[in-house]
Amino acid sequence: LLLQWLVNVSAGLALAKLLPPRAANRVLALCLLLMLLPQQALLLPQYLVLDALQLLDRLGGLVLLSAFQPFLVLLYWAGFRQVETSLLEAAACEGATGPQIFRHICLPLLTPYLLAGSLLSVAESWAMLEQPLTFLQADTQPVLSTYFLQAANLRQTALAAVPMLLFFVVVAGVVQNSLETEKDLKEETRRRFP
């Protein structure tokens, strides 16, 4: 999850604020194209890449494959588009450095997007079946999705859904609270500075 944040938040920031609009639109179109491809169509190229990097039968290979997610790039791009450029410029004029601007301005404004992306990422990883079954040939490193797939009884399979449901309830509540707080801040700003 942290690697996905690092890769996809950086890509979203670059597309929304750093790249020229024409180049950003091309990369966004490529992300949309990658989202349209079924995961099964990507198995052979992924297998060849992992084989070349000697990461077959290793959990690190699966982690590397899940680092870049086109839907997360689009989600974080949309979040960064909501951050006013004038706000970032004002912070820079006041002497804030790039990391300070990111930490104190961008991250709080992106909290709903980060939480929604985390929820989607965990749900996708939870349901990932083809990649672990294809790339992890040894049974010595089972992942949760394949472990519960191989569970013998219905009770174990039903219990597999409980952590995901709890995670969803917690994240949905935090996202809703964050959105309400953001709405209240915008209303307060409009009221104070008409």
Side-chain angles (χ1 to χ4, degrees), residues 50 58 102 115 154:
L50 289 181
R58 297 195 179 150
F102 185 77
L115 291 172
L154 184 60

Side-chain angles (χ1 to χ4, degrees), residues 36-95:
L36 292 175
L37 287 174
Q39 287 295 318
Q40 294 81 3
L42 300 174
L43 284 176
L44 180 59
Q46 290 173 344
Y47 186 89
L48 295 174
V49 167
L50 289 181
D51 189 35
L53 295 174
Q54 298 178 353
L55 289 174
L56 285 175
D57 283 337
R58 297 195 179 150
L59 289 175
L62 283 180
V63 171
L64 181 65
L65 288 179
S66 66
F68 172 75
Q69 296 292 333
F71 68 90
L72 291 178
V73 172
L74 292 172
L75 180 68
Y76 299 145
W77 166 78
F80 278 113
R81 296 270 308 207
Q82 300 298 317
V83 177
E84 295 290 332
T85 305
S86 60
L87 183 62
L88 302 177
E89 291 170 352
C93 287
E94 292 295 326

Side-chain angles (χ1 to χ4, degrees), residues 81-170:
R81 296 270 308 207
Q82 300 298 317
V83 177
E84 295 290 332
T85 305
S86 60
L87 183 62
L88 302 177
E89 291 170 352
C93 287
E94 292 295 326
T97 63
Q100 288 174 329
I101 292 171
F102 185 77
R103 181 171 180 235
H104 296 290
I105 296 174
C106 292
L107 277 183
L109 293 174
L110 285 177
T111 300
Y113 296 94
L114 291 171
L115 291 172
S118 299
L119 179 65
L120 291 171
S121 176
V122 168
E124 182 184 8
S125 297
W126 194 266
M128 182 188 298
L129 291 175
E130 291 94 356
Q131 285 85 356
L133 290 174
T134 304
F135 304 134
L136 297 177
Q137 298 298 322
D139 289 337
T140 58
Q141 299 178 353
V143 292
L144 284 176
S145 59
T146 58
Y147 174 77
F148 289 119
L149 178 68
Q150 298 166 354
N153 64 35
L154 184 60
R155 181 179 296 178
Q156 285 178 327
T157 306
L159 287 175
V162 172
M164 191 63 214
L165 290 173
L166 290 175
F167 183 73
F168 174 77
V169 168
V170 169

